[in-house]
Amino acid sequence: MELYNLTIHELHEKLQKKEITSLQLTEAFLKRIEAVDGKIKAYITVTKEDSIKQAKEADKRLASGKDITPLTGVPISVKDIFCTNGVRTTCASKILNNFVPPYDAAVIKKLKDAGAVILGKNNMDEFAMGSSTENSAYFVTKNPWDVERVPGGSSGGSAASVAAGECTASIGTDTGGSIRQPASCCGIVGLKPTYGRVSRYGMIAFASSLDQAGPMTKDVTDCAIMMNTMAGYDPQDSTSIDAPVPDYTKALTKDVKGLKIGIPKEYFIKGLDSDVEKAVKDAIEVLKKQGASVVDISLPHTDYAIAVYYLVATAEASSNLARFDGVKFGHRAKDSKNLLDMYCKTRDEGFGPEVKRRIMLGTYSLSAGYYDAYYKKASQVRTLIKRDFEEVFKKCGVILTPTAPTPAFKIGEKTADPLTMYLSDIFTISCNLAGIPGLSLPCGFTKDNLPIGLQILGKPLDEETVLKTAYSYEQATEWHKKRAGVEN
Ligand code: GLN
């Protein structure tokens, strides 16, 4: 297989055996990006010089034989929502077109410390608001399996860069499905960890009570490897959980004997694509054969999830995005008459239509007189959704569902109707509202050769059982070995 199609663990072995250097590998990826990114458009910024410098450092570390991690010398990409010291960070918005952070986000620092080489910053929906990467202020990323289709979103550039072999792995963020849905659309593995498991420090905020960073990888083993580096307590993030980080690779056993898998009836509904439904049901059979048992469950408040999400997330976004006013950083409008005029012009020029829509929705639901009816009510129903999961997890260890109701849709298909677009996340949003971990992995292809994602939800801080279930299924199937085959 071509180097650009290999996983972290495969490349780690080659680096350790000195079959290849990190510099050679990094140069190969830079060449690959040059060859295919014109077609895929997964990167907003490619950090060529920095990555070569990091690769040389990694080679020294590998030569010394000391302090080597499975990521040392391995080229990855990162969503353009993570602050990177000295490297432009746009969040795919015009308002941050010229923003160069003076520090690294906590996860970026951890990845760099582990010796990973960062190739560049991936395209996304502006401020992570979207499900197709069509809301980027710069350009649309294409799905490597069919360039007429979206890669999903908002971490669409990250997912596409992994699927197209423009990096080994990537990191994304997930507020309502933005890691799992693009992973599903692009045929890769994506994990949204438990809320608080990974530090949010230096990750540009969309909805702070829901946002969580996680790995996007070619297989489950790589996902566990990335988690070992990314997870952990961080005093710089007040919602970070102070719990020990297990070695996630130890969970990669195929032992699902006795595991109870919950199948929620609310996730197998009208509108679910028939190929998707079949693939997910087949996946359940695979796990049954391996010794897991199935219990039918109900998550009765599922119907309210989208409504609750679009009140809570927009309220938090309207508050978080107030900081972009042209004063301290980012774009500032020219020729303003006074301060207020400068604020208004800056925000009008800097934000795209979806971001403006969310700010208006959120400001409305938080305003005096409406707060009780909207934001407060939504927070209460959110608690009911969380309780649904608490109840169900008394009966099962994990929950299996489709990740998205359909495979990747056509570019432009849903842009005219925001509500239809919002429904793309119908199966992923409850997980964020409840704060639990959720993983998507490939479980088949449609008749048109589009990837299908299987979602595994777990108990809070029980990423290990989620990974174990995913690994067990993956090792019994061949889906993770398929590549999109984007030609040089
Ligand atoms: N698609 C959802 C939205 O538009 C979720 C986005 C996300 O997870 N960042 O808000």
Side-chain angles (χ1 to χ4, degrees), residues 201-422:
Y201 178 74
M203 190 174 111
I204 297 170
F206 162 12
S208 309
S209 78
L210 301 160
D211 296 343
Q212 192 56 199
M216 304 181 77
T217 57
K218 288 174 186 158
D219 68 9
V220 178
T221 305
D222 279 5
C223 183
I225 290 172
M226 292 283 280
M227 274 301 282
N228 276 357
T229 296
M230 293 173 73
Y233 175 62
D234 179 6
Q236 290 166 299
D237 170 1
S238 63
T239 58
S240 171
I241 298 175
D242 191 359
V245 180
D247 177 353
Y248 291 106
T249 60
K250 290 229 170 84
L252 304 176
T253 62
K254 289 185 264 176
D255 182 20
V256 290
K257 265 200 199 78
L259 176 72
K260 289 212 172 85
I261 297 176
I263 310 294
K265 64 169 193 269
E266 291 82 2
Y267 284 62
F268 294 84
I269 46 169
K270 227 175 66 207
L272 178 62
D273 179 278
S274 58
D275 287 350
V276 174
E277 182 169 3
K278 182 170 183 319
V280 172
K281 293 207 162 139
D282 289 350
I284 296 169
E285 290 309 312
V286 171
L287 283 159
K288 266 190 182 162
K289 271 205 199 100
Q290 296 176 327
S293 61
V294 163
V295 269
D296 290 325
I297 55 166
S298 170
L299 297 160
H301 296 93
T302 301
D303 260 3
Y304 303 105
I306 294 217
V308 167
Y309 173 84
Y310 278 94
L311 286 164
V312 173
T314 57
E316 293 182 19
S318 81
S319 154
N320 272 326
L321 271 57
R323 74 191 65 168
F324 303 107
D325 56 8
V327 176
K328 292 203 193 72
F329 45 76
H331 171 73
R332 179 182 299 176
K334 291 200 181 73
D335 306 323
S336 307
K337 290 197 276 307
N338 52 43
L339 185 62
L340 183 63
D341 190 43
M342 191 280 284
Y343 289 155
C344 293
K345 268 198 190 143
T346 297
R347 289 168 68 84
D348 183 35
E349 292 169 8
F351 290 137
E354 183 60 29
V355 176
K356 286 178 183 160
R357 181 179 299 124
R358 307 269 180 124
I359 292 173
M360 285 191 284
L361 279 168
T363 309
Y364 183 84
S365 71
L366 284 178
S367 51
Y370 295 111
Y371 179 91
D372 281 355
Y374 294 114
Y375 184 75
K376 191 172 161 211
K377 183 57 80 187
S379 303
Q380 287 166 332
V381 182
R382 179 179 184 177
T383 304
L384 296 177
I385 291 173
K386 191 162 177 259
R387 281 194 199 142
D388 278 358
F389 284 103
E390 284 164 8
E391 276 311 304
V392 152
F393 279 129
K394 288 178 188 159
K395 290 181 233 146
C396 60
V398 291
I399 298 172
L400 246 62
T401 79
T403 306
T406 66
F409 43 90
K410 287 250 165 79
I411 292 170
E413 194 179 314
K414 298 194 182 184
T415 37
D417 182 0
L419 275 185
T420 330
M421 187 72 90
Y422 295 173

Side-chain angles (χ1 to χ4, degrees), residues 1-8 10-11 14 168 218:
M1 227 198 268
E2 300 280 0
L3 282 175
Y4 56 74
N5 278 329
L6 298 182
T7 59
I8 298 174
E10 286 163 343
L11 289 177
K14 287 191 182 299
T168 311
K218 288 174 186 158

Side-chain angles (χ1 to χ4, degrees), residues 128-131 154 173-178 206 309-310 358 425:
M129 297 172 186
S131 309
S154 66
T173 61
D174 191 313
T175 305
S178 278
F206 162 12
Y309 173 84
Y310 278 94
R358 307 269 180 124
D425 300 308

